[in-house]
Amino acid sequence: MTVVLVAPDPEPAAEECAQWWVDELEGRGHDVYLVAPSQTNVRAIHHVATQGGTADTVQAIADAMEGVPAPILLLEAAAFGSVVTVEEVASGVGTKVLASAWTSRGDTGSSPREAPLRVIAGVVMGAGSAVHAMSQPTDAGAGLLRVDGADAEAVAGALRVMADVASENQWHGTAWPLTVVAAVRAGVTVRTVRAPGFPWGQL
């Protein structure tokens, strides 16, 4: 299994969570590609260094996807959950996003880590992020996207375009939700998958 672990925040709690994922996944024999600034305290066998900005991180995610065995799991490093859930999602077929029910945050806005989704009959029809407005979301991406081998090139290409747009518009914020937006905009069929029985959340 190939896991691209997406840039932890440079704060102790986020780095601790990211290191836990690296240790657990590598300990179970999975290949982890850590996408994070070079000065991070997180250690992994494979480290794809970024300058830390949103655009550079999105570009590094696309770079990390190049030439690695599919399927590729794009995992938000600040997510906390079960490695078993990651393995179960990996063992499925197609491109899928781990989803949870959307809960409105009223006037406070959504968390920058959240990927609001509009889902119809289990298929993601639209995806948002901190910089992509999403009207009437039904679900939220929970920090894990499985990219099927047949879709990997298209998703990586869409991520490169996303990185250019992020750079041009000077977007700031968490990069992981942009991976879901890129997959949907690439024309890939993205289905939702749930993880009942295992706790999953975001820092």
Side-chain angles (χ1 to χ4, degrees), residues 131-143:
V131 292
H132 294 88
M134 167 58 57
S135 62
Q136 300 179 326
T138 61
D139 298 77

Side-chain angles (χ1 to χ4, degrees), residues 117 124-127 155 158 179-190:
L117 310 172
V124 180
M125 306 304 292
V155 173
T179 67
V180 186
V181 176
V184 173
R185 292 191 173 190
V188 167
T189 299
V190 181

Side-chain angles (χ1 to χ4, degrees), residues 1-3 22 24-32 45 83 87:
M1 185 172 78
T2 303
V3 179
V22 171
E24 289 293 312
L25 290 163
E26 287 185 344
R28 292 170 75 99
H30 303 306
D31 291 324
V32 179
I45 294 172
V83 176
E87 292 173 338

Side-chain angles (χ1 to χ4, degrees), residues 4-203:
V4 176
L5 191 64
V6 181
D9 295 330
E11 58 183 47
E15 290 187 333
E16 182 179 344
C17 188
Q19 189 65 65
W20 181 87
W21 278 118
V22 171
D23 294 344
E24 289 293 312
L25 290 163
E26 287 185 344
R28 292 170 75 99
H30 303 306
D31 291 324
V32 179
Y33 290 79
L34 174 69
V35 174
S38 56
Q39 69 271 20
T40 185
N41 292 316
V42 183
R43 296 291 172 259
I45 294 172
H46 306 289
H47 185 177
V48 183
T50 77
Q51 296 174 11
T54 303
D56 192 62
T57 299
V58 173
Q59 178 66 49
I61 295 168
D63 292 344
M65 293 176 66
E66 289 290 329
V68 299
I72 303 168
L73 284 295
L74 305 180
L75 174 62
E76 162 64 66
F80 59 91
S82 168
V83 176
V84 173
T85 299
V86 178
E87 292 173 338
E88 287 182 348
V89 172
S91 68
V93 295
T95 294
K96 298 180 178 181
V97 61
L98 185 66
S100 59
W102 175 260
T103 54
S104 172
R105 294 176 181 268
D107 295 334
T108 63
S110 62
S111 162
R113 293 192 188 286
E114 290 180 330
L117 310 172
R118 188 182 307 111
V119 178
I120 298 175
V123 176
V124 180
M125 306 304 292
S129 73
V131 292
H132 294 88
M134 167 58 57
S135 62
Q136 300 179 326
T138 61
D139 298 77
L144 178 63
L145 175 67
R146 179 195 194 274
V147 181
D148 196 66
D151 300 327
E153 185 175 347
V155 173
L159 283 169
R160 295 188 193 284
V161 172
M162 186 74 70
D164 289 341
V165 174
S167 177
E168 181 180 335
N169 290 282
Q170 298 184 338
W171 288 347
H172 300 287
T174 305
W176 184 84
L178 297 177
T179 67
V180 186
V181 176
V184 173
R185 292 191 173 190
V188 167
T189 299
V190 181
R191 299 187 180 276
T192 55
V193 62
R194 312 278 174 177
F198 292 103
W200 191 278
Q202 303 276 345
L203 286 179

